Amino acid sequence: MVTQARPASHIPWEISHESDELRRAGLKATAPRLKILRILAGRERAHLAAEEVYQRLHDDGEDIGLATVYRVLTQFAEAGIVIRHNFDSDRAVFELNSGIHHDHLVCVDCGRVEEFKDRVIERRQADVAAVSGYELQSHSLILYGRCPDCARTGSRQPA
């Protein structure tokens, strides 16, 4: 399930003016918010759980509690800065909302998440909605399988 608070007046996430971006989203530019935003905007632009954001902050020597991380990520989701995904049933992950629609491939063994775009799939989904009389507002497509690394090594995470 994908939760997307507000449709885009999306923010370009080449972070150079983080405080301006937060203010545009209606949030004060506090130190914890800026630090969490920088983690999310990092080079790898991963889909991170709150615990992973907290661990990265901790590794960087930041004294920001896990409760604060959860609160800030919730605020970011409500403001449309991040998109919250529940790829598996027990945890949410967050990604910056780039404003560009994409779908996801999720490895059922290691949890790896990859993004993809496919115009044919997008068109087909719109056609299905139209044939059923729906005015499509949004959608989410998540494909579950084994990533190349897990398929090659035959590794599986313990249940």
Side-chain angles (χ1 to χ4, degrees):
M1 175 172 177
V2 174
T3 303
Q4 189 172 5
R6 285 187 216 151
S9 62
H10 294 297
I11 300 159
W13 289 114
E14 294 79 32
I15 302 296
S16 58
H17 305 296
E18 297 97 339
S19 59
D20 291 341
E21 302 300 347
L22 288 173
R23 280 201 252 339
R24 266 194 288 252
L27 298 170
K28 290 183 182 179
T30 64
R33 286 181 181 145
L34 290 169
K35 290 173 183 173
I36 292 168
L37 185 57
R38 287 181 187 129
I39 294 286
L40 293 169
R43 272 181 262 129
E44 65 279 351
R45 301 283 288 265
H47 297 75
L48 299 174
E51 295 81 4
E52 293 167 314
V53 172
Y54 169 76
Q55 187 60 52
R56 289 185 185 194
L57 289 165
H58 185 264
D59 291 347
D60 290 345
E62 300 295 341
D63 187 24
I64 298 172
L66 184 56
T68 299
V69 172
Y70 275 109
R71 185 173 58 255
V72 168
L73 289 172
T74 298
Q75 292 167 344
F76 283 1
E78 290 171 355
I81 294 171
V82 300
I83 299 172
R84 175 189 176 119
H85 300 282
N86 290 91
F87 294 132
D88 57 36
S89 60
D90 62 341
R91 75 178 190 144
V93 294
F94 300 84
E95 71 172 313
L96 283 177
N97 187 351
S98 67
I100 300 170
H101 175 76
H102 58 271
D103 296 302
H104 298 91
L105 290 160
V106 179
C107 180
V108 296
D109 290 340
C110 70
R112 176 173 157 182
V113 177
E114 292 193 36
E115 299 174 352
F116 72 94
K117 299 175 193 144
D118 186 300
R119 289 195 317 239
V120 173
I121 290 173
E122 294 302 314
R123 173 173 281 143
R124 183 69 186 119
Q125 291 176 113
D127 291 347
V128 167
V131 166
S132 299
Y134 278 74
E135 181 182 310
L136 195 59
Q137 300 295 309
S138 68
H139 74 275
S140 169
L141 176 63
I142 306 166
L143 303 175
Y144 295 92
R146 296 181 77 207
C147 71
D149 293 339
C150 290
R152 183 176 54 257
T153 63
S155 66
R156 294 183 182 268
Q157 287 206 339

